[in-house]
Amino acid sequence: MESYGEILKNAREGKNLSLDQASRDTAIAKHYLEALELEDDAALPGEAYFVGFVKNYCSYLGCDADYILKLYNAKKIQEAPIPTELLEHHTPKWILPAIIAGALAVIIALVFYFYYGVFKIPQKREERARIIAENQTVHTYEFSSEVLTKRLYKGDLLLVPDANTEDQNITLTVKDTLGQLTVATPIGNQVVDLSEERELDVDGDGANDIILYLSDISNSNPERGAEVRMILKGEDQRLAQAETKPDESQISRTNVTPSEIILEDNRAYPFTVQISFRGSCLFRYRVDRQEKIEEYYKNGDVITVTPSNAARLWMSNGNALSVTVISDGESYPLEIGKAGQVKVEDVKWIRDTDGRYRLVVVDLD
């Protein structure tokens, strides 16, 4: 919109008139003329005076007074405040309940998602109830000439045929399944460590009667029990290889040479080991010289570690996980083992006699 103040000012300056000269000629105070040209309505004494000043000043300058007043009135309308009733916003009554209902629906959906999907509370409760039920039930197992694989819980009974008395058994009792398997025998408690194969004399006659191999146990939760393979002494098979007997080449390489050379370089540098679980497995690992970490992992769990020099991996079920070594921008999947196979492996840098560094995998007994 055109400015009436600019019109008056331009008309005055077009006639080369100063405000002082215009004030003397029109008998209108100089500050009122300035207020007209600046459109400063507050500096004028009132509406009636404004109209009179405009008509006199327009007559003096040769401007159209009606057009100036029209512009003035248009400006007043434009600057007038909007009526309060036009500013009031009437919110429909259904909006607030709809917002509350929507928020509640989202909250309920999130609760269900975290309860069932993320934290899996019902599944964990069911697993907990199953473990408690297993622990509260006393199982009885009898040794024989066949390899028997069982998960033992505190209070379970193991029956060993008495070689000195026909049709009689020697009863062993599982006393503890935390970190180590402790079995009470007539001659005292016997302790078996994880991945250990023990020949036990249970009647004190100086001859070993049974072989126990501990393949899975927890250091933090005794309710998980202990998975063992057991057999009467005197059988040819060894329990650590009861399911799969490796060939002679594999045995000769154990603890002697690397079972696999991943890469070689003129220096050693950090590498990454990624362990992905596709089944339940007790797994323990140590990075460099740090403390060992042990947990019971399930399908879908993933561990990633970055050793500077070495990582040692203990696994209770070789088929329950896959291991990938990532170094120098390349990925190297490792062959671990078969179902139920207990393995211990080192992934580490070694320096060979030629001065070269080799990142190797070493199978340990």
Side-chain angles (χ1 to χ4, degrees), residues 16 71 115 124 135 167 185 187 217 242 277 337 343 359:
N16 294 321
L71 292 177
Y115 187 81
K124 290 181 179 179
N135 290 338
D167 297 330
T185 74
I187 62 171
I217 197 166
F277 293 86
K343 295 196 70 175
L359 182 60

Side-chain angles (χ1 to χ4, degrees), residues 131 135 151-156 173-183 192 214 216-228 282 294:
I131 293 174
N135 290 338
R151 182 165 289 274
L152 304 179
Y153 299 90
K154 185 175 181 180
D156 285 351
T173 305
V174 178
K175 299 291 290 184
D176 192 17
T177 58
L178 180 62
Q180 298 172 314
L181 173 64
T182 303
V183 179
V192 184
L214 180 58
D216 186 11
I217 197 166
S218 173
N219 279 337
S220 59
N221 186 1
E223 294 179 350
R224 290 195 180 123
E227 186 175 277
V228 301
L282 183 68
E294 179 179 301

Side-chain angles (χ1 to χ4, degrees), residues 65-123:
D66 293 335
Y67 181 66
I68 296 298
L69 291 174
K70 181 179 179 181
L71 292 177
Y72 166 72
N73 290 326
K75 180 184 176 184
K76 282 179 56 179
I77 294 173
Q78 196 174 49
E79 294 178 352
I82 300 173
T84 305
E85 59 272 11
L86 296 180
L87 296 176
E88 292 180 355
H89 180 69
H90 299 283
T91 303
K93 294 182 178 180
W94 57 268
I95 288 292
L96 183 58
I99 293 174
I100 294 174
L104 288 175
V106 171
I107 292 171
I108 292 172
L110 288 174
V111 169
F112 272 86
Y113 171 71
F114 282 100
Y115 187 81
Y116 290 98
V118 177
F119 298 111
K120 300 181 179 179
I121 293 175
Q123 298 92 318

